[in-house]
């Protein structure tokens, strides 16, 4: 005769699922999750970002173990990673290449959202968390760029911190908080290392929030019209997992080509020289992903004015859902935006090219023209197009 009382060993197979329904949640949100049928290849860049961030975290942990945040040893520790630690050169190249791939995918991902109106209601929070992630990635990239303690690292950080110092009221306390003194030194390098390491894991939390917001409001699509019946959707698996998997293979081929065959594109030559506060590089240039904002910073004679406009070029994106109140989403169905937005994309690229060149009169003029169009598009064209479309 058996006892009616069951022990944990005799519970049915769904024991864990009944107490912690993780698998059913994953099945609902990442297997059966309904996706629009008409998504194009640009929607794969979100997956690229997640995979690249995973590479960045994994390689960053390895680098942090072998890095010494001290101005007398930082450069030598990076050299030791490259030359003495087995496969250290590969891990560091993977990390540096990841920064380039991360920003390239991030800018394309945001550009796609701008073109297809993915910032409009009800996706405002999704848009804001995405922009917040971009700012966090920028801060993390800046702090990481200083850590090798090369010439361009030191002088690039000096330019940015001097610009921060020009902010009224908060500039001086903020720069002192980062520097721990009057100039870049041991205290500043240690604080930037801690900030870099901490921000990387904070980004993971915001990514989770961003994905959660996406699963609440569902994905936008090229038509801008939400699916109204199950026949207009496909489950995420196997349709989009297989498509994203194929696209990811192509993405990783480009990533590998950058790491193995084009390592010189990953950083500037001056950064292979140890930082020397007494010798200023002939031309202080940022990495390409910061170049558009650096071009704006240089294009304005006032240091504070340049910082405000560089910050404002990002701030306009945060208020875009309220500047553009039209119900029409994709730019293809909006004549004014269809003409203006490609010019804004071109202006951003032109700013990036200008930021990578010496500040000659021609490049300064190009920077000012591109900067002016960037603000004209978001502050003038978008509200006007919105009003026109709402009244028609």
């Amino acid at each position: 005769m058996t006892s009616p009382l069951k022990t944990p060993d005799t519970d049915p197979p769904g024991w864990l699922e009944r107490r912690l329904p993780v698998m059913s949640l994953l099945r609902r949100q990442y297997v059966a999750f309904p996706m629009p049928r008409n998504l194009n290849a640009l929607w794969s860049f979100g997956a690229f970002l997640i995979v690249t961030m995973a590479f960045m975290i994994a390689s960053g942990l390895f680098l942090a173990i072998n890095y010494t945040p001290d101005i007398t040893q930082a450069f030598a520790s990076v050299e030791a990673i490259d030359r003495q630690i087995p496969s250290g050169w590969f891990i560091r190249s993977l990390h540096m290449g990841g920064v380039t791939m991360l920003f390239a995918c991030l800018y394309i991902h945001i550009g796609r959202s701008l073109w297809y109106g993915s910032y409009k209601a009800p996706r405002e929070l999704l848009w804001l968390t995405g922009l917040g992630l971009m700012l966090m990635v920028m801060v993390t990239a800046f702090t990481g760029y200083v850590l090798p303690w090369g010439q361009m690292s030191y002088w690039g950080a000096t330019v940015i911190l001097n610009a921060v110092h020009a902010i009224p009221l908060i500039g001086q306390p903020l720069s002192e908080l980062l520097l721990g003194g009057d100039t870049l030194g041991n205290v500043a390098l240690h604080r930037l290392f801690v900030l870099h390491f901490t921000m990387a894991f904070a980004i993971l939390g915001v990514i989770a929030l961003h994905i959660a917001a996406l699963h609440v409001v569902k994905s936008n699509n090229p038509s801008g019209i939400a699916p109204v019946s199950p026949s207009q959707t496909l489950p995420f698996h196997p349709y989009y997992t297989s498509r994203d998997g194929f696209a990811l293979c192509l993405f990783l081929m480009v990533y590998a080509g950058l790491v193995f065959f084009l390592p010189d594109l990953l950083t500037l030559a001056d950064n292979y020289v140890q930082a020397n506060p007494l010798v200023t590089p002939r031309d202080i240039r940022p990495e390409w992903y910061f170049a558009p904002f650096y071009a704006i910073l240089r294009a304005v004679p006032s240091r504070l004015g340049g910082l405000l406009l560089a910050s404002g070029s990002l701030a306009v994106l945060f208020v875009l859902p309220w500047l553009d109140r039209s119900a029409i989403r994709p730019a293809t169905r909006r004549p004014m935006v269809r003409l203006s937005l490609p010019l804004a994309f071109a202006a951003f690229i032109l700013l990036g090219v200008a930021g990578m060149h010496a500040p000659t009169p021609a490049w300064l003029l190009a920077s000012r023209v591109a900067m002016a169009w960037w603000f004209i598009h978001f502050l003038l064209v978008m509200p006007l197009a919105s009003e026109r479309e709402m009244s028609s």
Side-chain angles (χ1 to χ4, degrees):
M1 182 174 180
T2 59
S3 171
L5 297 176
K6 291 185 177 180
T7 65
D9 293 333
T10 59
D11 274 354
W15 180 88
L16 179 62
E17 184 65 19
R18 293 202 311 273
R19 290 157 176 80
L20 188 66
V22 174
M23 296 308 297
S24 60
L25 176 66
L26 292 176
R27 192 179 304 111
R28 186 169 60 252
Q29 295 295 331
Y30 296 98
V31 176
F33 187 75
M35 300 285 289
R37 282 178 171 269
N38 59 339
L39 299 188
N40 58 39
L42 291 175
W43 264 261
S44 294
F45 280 84
F48 298 166
L49 286 166
I50 293 174
V51 171
T52 307
M53 183 56 66
F55 278 121
M56 294 291 291
I57 295 291
S59 58
L61 286 172
F62 170 86
L63 295 174
I65 291 171
N66 296 280
Y67 176 74
T68 306
D70 182 279
I71 62 172
T72 61
Q73 302 178 58
F75 187 81
S77 69
V78 173
E79 288 290 295
I81 291 171
D82 275 341
R83 302 173 187 275
Q84 298 176 18
I85 297 175
S87 301
W89 66 270
F90 170 68
I91 301 297
R92 183 164 179 251
S93 294
L94 194 68
H95 198 70
M96 293 193 300
V99 180
T100 291
M101 299 302 289
L102 187 69
F103 272 98
C105 293
L106 185 60
Y107 289 150
I108 293 172
H109 191 62
I110 292 174
R112 185 265 293 170
S113 298
L114 290 171
W115 183 259
Y116 291 112
S118 299
Y119 51 85
K120 294 175 181 284
R123 299 183 177 87
E124 300 96 332
L125 185 59
L126 180 65
W127 173 249
L128 294 177
T129 55
L131 292 178
L133 276 170
M134 181 179 69
L135 292 182
M136 294 174 72
V137 168
M138 286 181 169
V139 172
T140 308
F142 167 71
T143 54
Y145 188 62
V146 181
L147 299 184
W149 206 246
Q151 272 288 74
M152 202 58 68
S153 295
Y154 177 87
W155 289 102
T158 300
V159 169
I160 298 301
L161 291 171
N162 285 340
V164 170
H165 194 273
I167 302 175
L169 300 178
I170 65 170
Q172 183 175 351
L174 183 59
S175 61
E176 289 177 354
L177 177 65
L178 291 172
L179 292 174
D182 296 328
T183 59
L184 276 170
N186 268 330
V187 176
L189 186 61
H190 188 269
R191 290 181 180 180
L192 291 173
F193 174 64
V194 172
L195 182 60
H196 180 72
F197 199 83
T198 305
M199 287 292 290
F201 289 97
I203 286 171
L204 292 180
V206 181
I207 288 174
L209 180 62
H210 186 66
I211 295 175
L214 172 64
H215 281 243
V216 170
V217 297
K218 305 296 189 296
S219 179
N220 189 25
N221 65 83
S223 71
I225 302 172
V228 294
S229 67
S231 64
Q232 296 176 319
T233 65
L234 292 171
F236 183 74
H237 178 78
Y239 296 98
Y240 284 104
T241 51
S242 58
R243 193 198 68 172
D244 287 350
F246 174 74
L248 187 60
C249 291
L250 300 179
F251 169 78
L252 291 176
M253 290 173 63
V254 176
Y255 193 165
L258 186 66
V259 169
F260 291 110
F261 300 106
L262 299 170
D264 291 341
L265 296 180
L266 299 180
T267 191
L268 301 171
D270 282 336
N271 232 29
Y272 290 106
V273 179
Q274 188 169 2
N276 186 347
L278 301 179
V279 179
T280 307
R282 182 173 58 183
D283 182 21
I284 299 176
R285 293 185 298 162
E287 294 295 330
W288 72 269
Y289 39 83
F290 287 140
F293 312 103
Y294 185 61
I296 296 175
L297 200 64
R298 291 190 314 188
V300 182
S302 165
R303 187 168 59 179
L304 176 59
L307 183 63
L308 291 176
L309 286 174
S311 303
S313 66
L314 292 173
V316 294
L317 297 178
F318 280 88
V319 297
L320 184 58
W322 297 274
L323 291 174
D324 181 12
R325 295 175 290 112
S326 173
I328 305 174
R329 298 182 185 279
T332 51
R333 295 168 53 199
R334 310 177 65 187
M336 288 181 65
V337 179
R338 187 172 65 241
L339 294 175
S340 178
L341 186 54
L343 292 177
F345 291 156
F348 186 79
I349 295 171
L350 180 57
L351 283 169
V353 175
M356 296 297 292
H357 286 81
T360 61
W363 283 116
L364 287 176
L365 177 61
S367 299
R368 288 163 184 161
V369 171
M371 175 181 63
W373 184 257
W374 180 264
F375 284 105
I376 287 172
H377 170 75
F378 288 107
L379 297 179
L380 184 61
V381 175
M382 295 299 280
L384 285 178
S386 178
E387 291 293 333
R388 180 178 177 180
E389 290 160 4
M390 288 169 57
S391 62
S392 61

